[in-house]
Amino acid sequence: MSVQERKQRERAERERLIVATARELAEQDGWDAVTTRRLAERIEYSQPVLYSHFRGKREIIGAVALEGAAELAAAVRAATSAADGPRARVAALARAYLDFAARNPAVYDAIFELDGGLAFAHEDTPEPLKDAFAALLESLGEVAGDGIHPGLFTETFWAALHGLATLTRAGRLPPEDTEPRLDLLVDRLAVL
């Protein structure tokens, strides 16, 4: 292994450590607790080392968001691949999405609530975000209904799931009614 390859590998490992530590801090104490000073202390590198990887917290949030979007896509695909039939796939998708949001609130916020400097629904949207949307579209496109653009339907269904996730987490919707809400969403919105 050349010196250059070793340095690239070490740089990638440091970057993964920074992102993992930021994610851990955010999940434990919220995003306000994620500062470059605290990250530097936690990973035992200087702040200039952090800045050699990320220009600031916004880019760190973006890196967490990209990692989280890939995990969300994988969770949705795993759930839908095990389901039999369109209704079961849509219900599995909805549950996987809400479960991901509940289990990873800081990551979910990084993807959908915070400014990580990432473009959504644009030419320059990063691949992990495009793939997360594609994971939703794969199951939802088949139930959009006649004359309804599958992408538009997927955006609308996703918006409903996002509303359920954020309102439940904020205590605005009682969590014990999640299943009836999901049934209503799946049965009334999707053409099955």
Side-chain angles (χ1 to χ4, degrees):
M1 174 183 303
S2 73
V3 172
Q4 180 72 15
E5 290 171 328
R6 181 182 53 79
K7 285 183 178 184
Q8 287 175 337
R9 188 187 75 230
E10 289 171 354
R11 181 172 176 76
E13 287 172 8
R14 268 194 317 271
E15 194 165 297
R16 280 191 296 275
L17 178 62
I18 293 166
V19 171
T21 304
R23 185 175 173 162
E24 179 184 310
L25 279 171
E27 291 294 359
Q28 288 173 356
D29 302 323
W31 278 105
D32 287 342
V34 179
T35 64
T36 54
R37 176 179 291 192
R38 193 162 177 202
L39 281 172
E41 289 171 2
R42 186 72 75 94
I43 65 171
E44 299 178 344
Y45 282 101
S46 67
Q47 285 181 308
V49 169
L50 276 131
Y51 285 117
S52 74
H53 289 273
F54 300 99
R55 286 183 292 208
K57 184 174 176 176
R58 181 180 188 220
E59 284 189 6
I60 294 169
I61 290 169
V64 170
L66 294 177
E67 188 177 271
E71 292 170 10
L72 175 60
V76 166
R77 286 189 175 109
T80 57
S81 71
D84 186 29
R87 187 195 188 290
R89 274 190 293 282
V90 173
L93 176 151
R95 282 185 190 87
Y97 184 96
L98 293 179
D99 288 348
F100 179 87
R103 280 192 326 274
N104 306 284
V107 173
Y108 187 85
D109 285 350
I111 301 169
F112 298 116
E113 298 289 324
L114 301 174
D115 179 10
L118 305 173
F120 279 79
H122 292 284
E123 295 273 331
D124 60 342
T125 298
E127 279 306 312
L129 297 178
K130 288 180 181 177
D131 190 51
F133 185 78
L136 299 175
L137 181 62
E138 290 162 10
S139 292
L140 294 171
E142 72 179 313
V143 298
D146 293 335
I148 298 173
H149 188 278
L152 181 63
F153 178 79
T154 300
E155 289 171 347
T156 303
F157 199 93
W158 167 37
L161 287 174
H162 177 69
L164 290 174
T166 57
L167 291 170
T168 301
R169 191 167 112 203
R172 304 288 196 270
L173 295 175
E176 62 271 11
D177 293 331
T178 297
E179 283 302 314
R181 280 190 209 95
L182 284 180
D183 288 341
L184 182 63
L185 181 62
V186 170
D187 292 336
R188 297 299 172 111
L189 196 54
V191 177
L192 303 169

